[in-house]
C-alpha cells in the first residue's frame, strides 16, 4: 500500500471510529473519500437534509445529505444517510469529531 493510500485509510478509520463512538451507524467504505452514516440514532426524527442544514450552525461542521443522490420519486430513499469527507488533516477530523459531540437532541 502506498503512502497516500495508507494515510487515507488512517483518516477513514479515524473518522469512522469517531462517528461510531458518537452513536452514528457507520458504513465504512473500502474506496472513496467519503464515509456514510445513518444519523437516525443521533438525530431522531430529522431527515439527512434537515440535519445537514442545522449542522454548521450547531457544530461548525458540514456534511452532505445522501438523499441528493437518490431518485427524487422515492423521498424515503437515503432519508437519514449522510456523507462525511475524510480527506482532511487528522487534526481537522479530530476537531470536527469534538464539535459533533456537542450535537444534542
Amino acid at each position: 500500500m502506498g503512502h497516500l493510500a495508507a494515510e487515507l485509510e488512517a483518516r477513514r478509520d479515524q473518522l469512522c471510529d469517531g462517528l461510531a463512538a458518537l452513536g452514528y451507524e457507520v458504513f465504512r467504505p473500502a474506496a472513496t473519500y467519503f464515509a456514510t452514516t445513518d444519523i437516525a440514532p443521533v438525530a431522531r426524527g430529522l431527515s439527512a437534509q434537515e440535519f445537514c442544514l442545522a449542522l454548521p450552525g450547531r457544530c461548525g461542521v458540514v456534511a452532505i445529505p445522501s438523499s441528493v443522490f437518490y431518485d427524487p420519486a422515492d423521498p424515503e430513499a437515503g432519508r437519514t444517510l449522510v456523507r462525511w469527507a475524510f480527506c482532511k488533516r487528522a487534526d481537522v477530523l479530530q476537531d470536527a469529531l469534538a464539535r459533533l459531540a456537542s450535537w444534542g437532541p
Side-chain angles (χ1 to χ4, degrees), residues 2 8-9 12 15 36-37 57 64 72 79 89 92 99 101-102 104:
L8 284 171
E9 183 178 52
R12 177 204 64 195
L15 180 63
T36 298
T37 61
I64 303 161
R79 183 180 186 288
R89 293 187 328 259
V92 171
R99 290 168 180 256
S102 71

Side-chain angles (χ1 to χ4, degrees), residues 15 17-18 20-22 30-32 36 38 41 45-46 53 57 61 64 77 82 84 91-92 94 96 99 101 104:
L15 180 63
D17 292 348
L22 292 173
T32 182
T36 298
D38 188 335
L46 290 182
L53 287 172
V61 175
I64 303 161
V82 170
W84 308 86
D91 62 313
V92 171
Q94 191 57 45
R99 290 168 180 256

Side-chain angles (χ1 to χ4, degrees), residues 5-77:
E7 240 183 74
L8 284 171
E9 183 178 52
R11 300 296 172 263
R12 177 204 64 195
D13 292 346
Q14 177 187 8
L15 180 63
C16 290
D17 292 348
L19 290 169
L22 292 173
Y24 296 86
E25 181 181 355
V26 178
F27 305 98
R28 191 177 302 257
T32 182
Y33 296 112
F34 300 95
T36 298
T37 61
D38 188 335
I39 61 153
V42 174
R44 297 190 193 287
L46 290 182
S47 71
Q49 185 171 0
E50 292 166 331
F51 175 80
C52 288
L53 287 172
L55 203 52
R58 287 182 67 174
C59 300
V61 175
V62 296
I64 303 161
S66 295
S67 55
V68 301
F69 301 106
Y70 287 81
D71 184 347
D74 184 1
E76 289 303 306

